[in-house]
Amino acid sequence: LAKTTQPISMDSYEGQEVNITCSHNNIATNDYITWYQQFPSQGPRFIIQGYKTKVTNEVASLFIPADRKSSTLSLPRVSLSDTAVYYCLVVYSGNTGKLIFGQGTTLQVKP
Amino acid sequence: GAGVSQTPSNKVTEKGKYVELRCDPISGHTALYWYRQSLGQGPEFLIYFQGTGAADDSGLPNDRFFAVRPEGSVSTLKIQRTERGDSAVYLCASSLGSYNEQFFGPGTRLTVL
């Protein structure tokens, strides 16, 4: 059974780098990993998407090891406004491509 | 440009009633997704449209739930004989292609009394 697992919560301080890991043991060769950010009373917002190795954009990096059974979202130098819930999403291919979100990691950034 | 919009933003109904939730995707986005999100949980996949057809409806919990996208743009999620357990935020998202970056609407908060 496909499952996407991530820590429930994390704390950090302003200016630190934050790494959030997601486990996706049943990921298949062609499945992509996507991360979203969600603030209260809003829909999730796209952060980054990757397939293998490393992807970087202006706000984050995504590290995916060779076995692809996990991935790590890296947020450099977080600020108070990065306090939010972060979701890992994997599209599990197969008979039907099923989109499975993790339960979300609540990141609390402290001053 | 305009993002994904959902109406109504809030819907309160009584157990057993029928409700319709509407989603207006970003113009030109061929893929449209419906999710349900309960408090403290990640979005739960319901159905995915590619154009007018439902490419994957494996997430619909039972036959009380149905969704349409007749012209390949606006979509309506329909829930018959609502139950208290249907109370949640219903999210809609759209993307340019299959499973690309999804743009989410603000959601419709459904409360079944």
Side-chain angles (χ1 to χ4, degrees):
Chain A
L1 184 65
K3 193 171 182 180
T4 308
T5 306
Q6 45 184 130
I8 296 296
S9 64
M10 294 182 72
D11 288 344
S12 183
Y13 291 92
E14 280 191 293
Q16 289 188 334
E17 178 184 81
V18 170
N19 296 308
I20 306 174
T21 297
C22 178
S23 297
H24 26 76
N25 292 333
N26 295 326
I27 195 167
T29 305
N30 296 323
D31 296 341
Y32 274 82
I33 299 143
T34 313
W35 284 82
Y36 288 84
Q37 177 192 54
Q38 188 176 31
F39 296 108
S41 301
Q42 295 184 21
R45 185 174 67 176
F46 174 87
I47 301 173
I48 197 165
Q49 183 179 65
Y51 172 67
K52 61 181 179 180
T53 61
K54 177 182 175 182
V55 179
T56 298
N57 61 22
E58 62 275 10
V59 298
S61 295
L62 178 59
F63 298 93
I64 305 168
D67 66 6
R68 304 181 72 241
K69 293 184 183 296
S70 67
S71 59
T72 299
L73 172 71
S74 181
L75 304 172
R77 299 178 299 281
V78 294
S79 63
L80 295 177
S81 62
D82 293 319
T83 293
V85 181
Y86 292 82
Y87 291 101
C88 171
L89 167 66
V90 178
V91 181
Y92 291 94
S93 56
N95 292 334
T96 55
K98 194 160 185 178
L99 299 97
I100 298 184
F101 275 87
Q103 70 268 43
T105 298
T106 300
L107 173 64
Q108 179 69 52
V109 180
K110 302 175 182 178
Chain B
V4 177
S5 62
Q6 293 186 244
T7 54
S9 55
N10 279 284
K11 176 70 178 178
V12 180
T13 191
E14 294 179 343
K15 180 176 178 295
K17 299 291 188 182
Y18 168 83
V19 297
E20 289 189 352
L21 311 179
R22 176 187 167 107
C23 173
D24 270 280
I26 294 173
S27 178
H29 281 192
T30 59
L32 185 145
Y33 316 79
W34 282 100
Y35 297 88
R36 177 170 68 175
Q37 187 173 30
S38 300
L39 192 63
Q41 302 295 315
E44 175 194 3
F45 170 75
L46 296 177
I47 187 169
Y48 154 58
F49 287 90
Q50 183 57 249
T52 60
D56 181 358
D57 64 357
S58 61
L60 294 177
N62 52 59
D63 61 6
R64 295 187 298 106
F65 289 75
F66 189 71
V68 296
R69 195 186 185 199
E71 297 177 358
S73 55
V74 170
S75 176
T76 304
L77 178 66
K78 308 180 180 191
I79 310 174
Q80 298 177 324
R81 304 183 304 280
T82 52
E83 299 177 356
R84 293 192 179 88
D86 298 335
S87 296
V89 174
Y90 288 80
L91 294 165
C92 174
S94 69
S95 66
L96 265 176
S98 301
Y99 308 127
N100 288 354
E101 174 184 350
Q102 295 179 47
F103 294 82
F104 282 81
T108 293
R109 181 175 298 279
L110 175 66
T111 303
V112 182
L113 301 176

